[in-house]
Amino acid sequence: MLEVLEEIGRDRDSGGYVRDAWSPADLELREWFKGEAARRGLDLDVDRNGNLWAWWGDPAAGPGVVTGSHLDSVRQGGPFDGPLGVVSAFAAIDLMRERGLTPGRPLAVVCFTDEEGARFGVPCIGSRLLTGVLDPERARGLRDDEGDTMADVLRRAGRDPMALGRDDETLARVGVFVELHVEQGRGLVGKGAPVGVASSIWPHGRWRFDFQGTADHAGTTRLHDRDDPMLPFARAVLTARVAAERHGVLATFGKVRVWPGNANAIPGRVSAWLDARGAGERAVRALVSELTLGSGATVSEESWTPVVDFDVPLRDKVAGLLGDAPILPTGAGHDAGILASAGVPSAMLFVRNPTGVSHSPAEHADADDCRAGVTALSSVLEALCT
């Protein structure tokens, strides 16, 4: 299954993937998911927010057990972030059937929509809408880099944007959620284990900084006459690094837009997006507050996810089923974190990443570790479905 997915949305030059939500690549991936569900005789359901659910058993007999992840990617991302969880979910069902097992409660594979937020700037849109964390009116008005609103994009994809919103009927079907994901770090390498269990997700958020200046000619405007917004932006980047070290958190300006974008002109405006995260919310907030006050920019918070502590009894049960697998926190956000914050008992399995590299074409997981992840996931699902 991973080999089939390797060719969808791949940049031939870099080897990375561009799978924005509702793009042609994403739509092809959604069709692939539907085909895999049909091949296994699973009943497909698409909820009001575009999340895909493939059910083994009647979901009305629930609440059931759900596993899965997402298929979209960051721009120039790797092949495992998201797809490994969806592929492993289908493979775990195959393994259960090979063993002659039939779940005692409904079991579903889910593919959440727009987990990465690469197109509209807000991560985990599908699960945030599902749980009511993201206001549907705000979601409809989110714009991509081309200026298209999410409402526009959904209509072109044959979806009704007015259907977006909290979905209590779908939520009621989810009794427990288990997400398998490639580890986005080297925690398991140090522990010598192919599979681990998540304890928590660090608090994290995204902020937009808008630096206003005055567009002018690069060759005729004297330096002391310039109002160049690139200068306060550059200071903000350096300040963020120093402040992150002082507060013991992580800060990244990874996306920048410059208007009008001419090489021979002083820009009139610079917009930049800060990703900040760390083990403690207070430290993350302190960093952002420090930058906001000192940058001279207009700052808006685009998303915030508080610390997520996964259900301890479920976490310990899962770790015990896997022979006391290592338990470790993560700084990466996931749909499992959104569901856990909404009160759905949730757990995560991590598959070892030998380099720790992620959100990059160099992201990797060894085949044997991936198979160990499928075996582990099937054991967990079997126990939860009994």
Side-chain angles (χ1 to χ4, degrees):
M1 287 184 281
L2 283 173
E3 289 177 355
V4 172
L5 296 182
E6 278 182 358
E7 300 307 314
I8 302 176
R10 190 172 192 178
D11 183 327
R12 298 290 182 182
D13 294 327
S14 70
Y17 292 87
V18 181
R19 295 164 168 170
D20 284 4
W22 305 109
S23 66
D26 187 49
L27 294 175
E28 186 176 351
L29 290 164
R30 292 169 68 85
E31 290 303 312
W32 171 88
F33 182 95
K34 294 175 183 179
E36 293 300 315
R39 197 173 349 272
R40 291 167 176 80
L42 306 178
D43 295 323
L44 184 77
D45 182 48
V46 185
D47 69 22
R48 60 190 295 181
N49 299 300
N51 303 309
L52 303 172
W53 307 78
W55 285 97
W56 183 10
D58 182 4
V65 176
V66 178
T67 185
S69 192
H70 63 96
L71 291 173
D72 64 303
S73 74
V74 297
R75 290 167 185 174
Q76 299 300 330
F80 295 95
D81 179 357
L84 180 61
V86 176
V87 164
S88 296
F90 282 127
I93 286 179
D94 294 343
L95 189 55
M96 292 172 68
R97 285 177 167 172
E98 287 176 12
R99 295 173 181 163
L101 301 175
T102 301
R105 57 194 293 197
L107 173 61
V109 178
V110 65
C111 174
F112 284 109
T113 296
D114 201 355
E115 191 270 355
E116 296 291 2
R119 184 166 192 172
F120 298 106
V122 176
C124 299
I125 284 179
S127 56
R128 288 180 189 270
L129 285 168
L130 169 70
T131 57
V133 176
L134 177 60
D135 178 72
E137 188 60 31
R138 183 193 171 203
R140 284 188 283 268
L142 293 172
R143 292 184 180 273
D144 63 15
D145 292 343
E146 304 303 318
D148 292 328
T149 66
M150 183 182 291
D152 296 331
V153 171
L154 288 173
R155 288 191 188 98
R156 289 200 295 268
R159 303 285 306 175
D160 178 11
M162 299 310 295
L164 297 179
R166 180 178 170 90
D167 191 339
D168 289 313
E169 180 180 356
T170 298
L171 271 176
R173 297 176 169 184
V174 186
V176 62
F177 178 57
V178 181
E179 180 172 5
L180 179 145
H181 205 280
V182 66
E183 189 192 2
Q184 295 168 292
R186 289 176 48 84
L188 289 173
V189 173
K191 297 182 182 298
V195 180
V197 179
S199 60
S200 61
I201 296 177
W202 284 2
H204 56 281
R206 296 182 189 178
W207 290 262
R208 173 172 172 161
F209 285 64
D210 288 300
F211 301 87
Q212 192 64 45
T214 302
D216 212 333
H217 197 289
T220 59
T221 309
R222 296 178 300 180
L223 289 178
H224 66 269
D225 288 337
R226 298 183 179 203
D227 180 14
D228 186 349
M230 288 297 288
L231 299 181
F233 163 61
R235 285 193 291 269
V237 173
L238 297 176
T239 300
R241 176 57 182 263
V242 173
E245 291 178 344
R246 185 169 61 254
H247 291 288
V249 299
L250 302 174
T252 307
F253 278 104
K255 178 181 178 180
V256 184
R257 297 186 68 188
V258 181
W259 283 270
N262 297 313
N264 58 352
I266 300 161
R269 185 172 80 253
V270 174
S271 293
W273 283 261
L274 170 73
D275 179 298
R277 56 187 79 198
E281 177 175 340
R282 181 175 297 181
V284 176
R285 291 289 190 182
L287 173 135
V288 175
S289 177
E290 189 174 316
L291 288 180
T292 300
L293 294 174
S295 67
T298 300
V299 183
S300 56
E301 181 178 294
E302 294 201 337
S303 68
W304 172 254
T305 303
V307 63
V308 174
D309 291 312
F310 287 109
D311 184 273
V312 174
L314 177 61
R315 178 200 73 190
D316 291 347
K317 178 178 181 178
V318 169
L321 288 168
L322 304 183
D324 294 324
I327 298 175
L328 63 165
T330 180
H334 301 282
D335 292 305
I338 303 300
L339 267 64
S341 297
V344 177
S346 302
M348 288 197 72
L349 303 182
F350 291 132
V351 172
R352 180 167 50 194
N353 181 333
T355 64
V357 173
S358 188
H359 284 186
S360 158
E363 179 182 83
H364 181 69
D366 291 339
D368 286 344
D369 288 352
C370 291
R371 283 189 283 269
V374 170
T375 301
L377 180 60
S378 66
S379 297
V380 171
L381 297 178
E382 178 185 349
L384 295 176
C385 288
T386 299

